Amino acid sequence: MKLKLAILDLYNGTKNKGMQCIKDIVNTYQDQIEWQVYDVRQEGALPDTSYDIYISSGGPGSPLNGEGVAGWDQKYSEWIDMIWTWNQSDANVKKHVFFICHSFQMACAHFKLGSIVPRKSMSFGTFPIHQTDEGKNELVFSGLENPFYAADFRRWQFIQSDEDRFEDIGASILALEKVRPHVELERAVMAVRFSDELVGVQFHPEADSEGMLEHFQGDELKQEIIKNHGRQKYASILRDLKMPGRIELTHNTVIPNFLKNAIELLHKELRLAA
C-alpha cells in the first residue's frame, strides 16, 4: 500500500516555480507515495488526517495577514493544531510535515517562537545558509556543507527567538541566514525543527537550478530583476544557479531527506501497528 501525501498550495494563484518543483520531487517517490494538492488560499481547502505526509509551500504576502479567501489563515492554524494534537498521542501513527518559506513563517508565528517582521529590504537570490550546532546533526541537511546555498526570496523574516518557548515545545533552531558583519541587524532564523515529525525552512529547498535558470532568463523577469536589483545581482544569480554544488545540491538533498526519513519511520510504525 502506498503512503498518502498532501501538498498544501499557499501561492494564492500567483505565478511560481515552487509548486512544480515540489511535484517533481514527490513524483520521484511515485512507487511509494500517492499525492494530492490542496489550494489553501484560493479555496480554503485543507487536508484531513487521512494523509501520512504533508508539504506546505511558500507563497506571497504577509504571513500574519495574508490575502486569500476569507478565513483560510484561521483554518490553516487549526490544521497545524490538528496535526500537532494527533502526534501527541502514542496510539497514533505520526504525521510528518515540511513547511517552506511562507508556511514556515506562519508555523513559527502559530507556535509563538519569536517575532515575524518585515525585512528592511527584500532578500532576493541565492545565499549561504549556516547550520547551528543542532543543524549539524539534522537529518534533512545530511550531505550538505556548512554553509550550504539555497534560493531565498522573502520580504519577511523570523527573528528574536523565544528560548523559553522553544524549550516548552521541544523545538530547535537548525540554521541562520548569511553572516553580515557590515549590517547591525539580527540574523534571521532559516530553519526550525518543531518536533520529531515537523520541520520547516525559510528558504526554498525545492528550487532546481535548471528550472530557475529558465525562469530567470525570461525577458520579462530579467528586466524586472535588473530594474529592482541591478545587473550585478542578476549576473550573480545566474552564476550561482550554474554551480552544481549549490542550489542543485540543496534541491537534491533537503526535501528528499525529509521524505526518505518519513517513509522509513512510517513503514516501521505501520508494521508495529498491524
Side-chain angles (χ1 to χ4, degrees):
M1 180 188 299
K2 292 184 179 181
L3 297 172
K4 293 179 62 179
L5 182 147
I7 301 174
L8 284 68
D9 179 356
L10 269 67
Y11 277 101
N12 199 28
T14 59
K15 186 178 180 180
N16 70 90
K17 295 290 290 184
M19 284 298 297
Q20 187 58 53
C21 289
I22 293 170
K23 293 174 185 176
D24 289 344
I25 293 172
V26 170
N27 274 333
T28 64
Y29 297 87
Q30 60 184 328
D31 59 330
Q32 301 176 75
I33 291 174
E34 58 184 33
W35 56 271
Q36 184 173 343
V37 175
Y38 286 80
D39 191 333
V40 180
R41 292 173 70 169
Q42 290 194 114
E43 299 178 2
L46 283 154
D48 58 21
T49 54
S50 67
Y51 293 86
D52 305 292
I53 306 171
Y54 305 81
I55 297 177
S56 190
S57 80
S62 166
L64 304 179
N65 187 26
E67 295 180 353
V69 66
W72 77 267
D73 47 354
Q74 179 59 38
K75 289 182 179 179
Y76 188 80
S77 181
E78 292 169 357
W79 171 78
I80 294 177
D81 280 336
M82 178 180 69
I83 298 298
W84 186 265
T85 300
W86 176 281
N87 283 344
Q88 300 310 300
S89 171
D90 291 336
N92 292 330
V93 175
K94 307 304 181 188
K95 307 295 180 182
H96 295 257
V97 184
F98 193 94
F99 299 94
I100 300 171
C101 197
H102 194 93
S103 297
F104 168 78
Q105 294 166 348
M106 291 189 71
C108 290
H110 175 84
F111 288 115
K112 299 179 173 62
L113 295 181
S115 299
I116 309 297
V117 299
R119 286 177 55 85
K120 189 175 182 180
S121 61
M122 183 181 181
S123 178
F124 190 94
T126 56
F127 300 98
I129 309 296
H130 294 259
Q131 299 167 41
T132 62
D133 288 340
E134 291 84 358
K136 292 174 185 176
N137 298 312
E138 170 55 45
L139 185 143
V140 299
F141 294 159
S142 179
L144 295 176
E145 298 292 329
N146 189 19
F148 60 91
Y149 281 77
D152 181 17
F153 306 100
R154 59 194 165 92
R155 298 184 185 276
W156 291 76
Q157 61 183 349
F158 168 31
I159 58 172
Q160 298 173 351
S161 56
D162 185 331
E163 293 182 8
D164 291 337
R165 182 59 181 159
F166 266 83
E167 186 174 348
D168 285 345
I169 71 168
S172 58
I173 295 174
L174 304 177
L176 299 171
E177 71 178 337
K178 65 178 181 178
V179 179
R180 298 177 294 171
H182 57 291
V183 178
E184 293 184 6
L185 294 174
E186 182 178 352
R187 293 165 69 193
V189 175
M190 297 301 286
V192 168
R193 178 160 285 285
F194 303 96
S195 70
D196 288 343
E197 299 82 25
L198 276 61
V199 64
V201 299
Q202 174 63 90
F203 52 92
H204 286 274
E206 77 278 17
D208 72 297
S209 57
E210 183 178 344
M212 286 189 69
L213 270 172
E214 180 182 350
H215 184 57
F216 282 109
Q217 287 177 326
D219 189 63
E220 184 178 344
L221 183 57
K222 174 182 177 180
Q223 297 307 320
E224 181 181 342
I225 295 171
I226 291 173
K227 177 183 177 181
N228 295 328
H229 303 278
R231 288 187 177 276
Q232 186 174 353
K233 166 61 75 172
Y234 181 72
S236 71
I237 291 173
L238 296 188
R239 183 182 64 247
D240 286 346
L241 289 174
K242 293 175 182 178
M243 296 181 69
R246 294 199 169 182
I247 302 304
E248 196 63 18
L249 180 59
T250 302
H251 166 82
N252 292 334
T253 300
V254 177
I255 296 179
N257 279 349
F258 164 75
L259 289 173
K260 284 183 284 188
N261 182 60
I263 291 168
E264 181 179 343
L265 291 175
L266 284 163
H267 281 312
K268 286 181 179 179
E269 290 185 330
L270 289 168
R271 283 197 298 271
L272 289 172

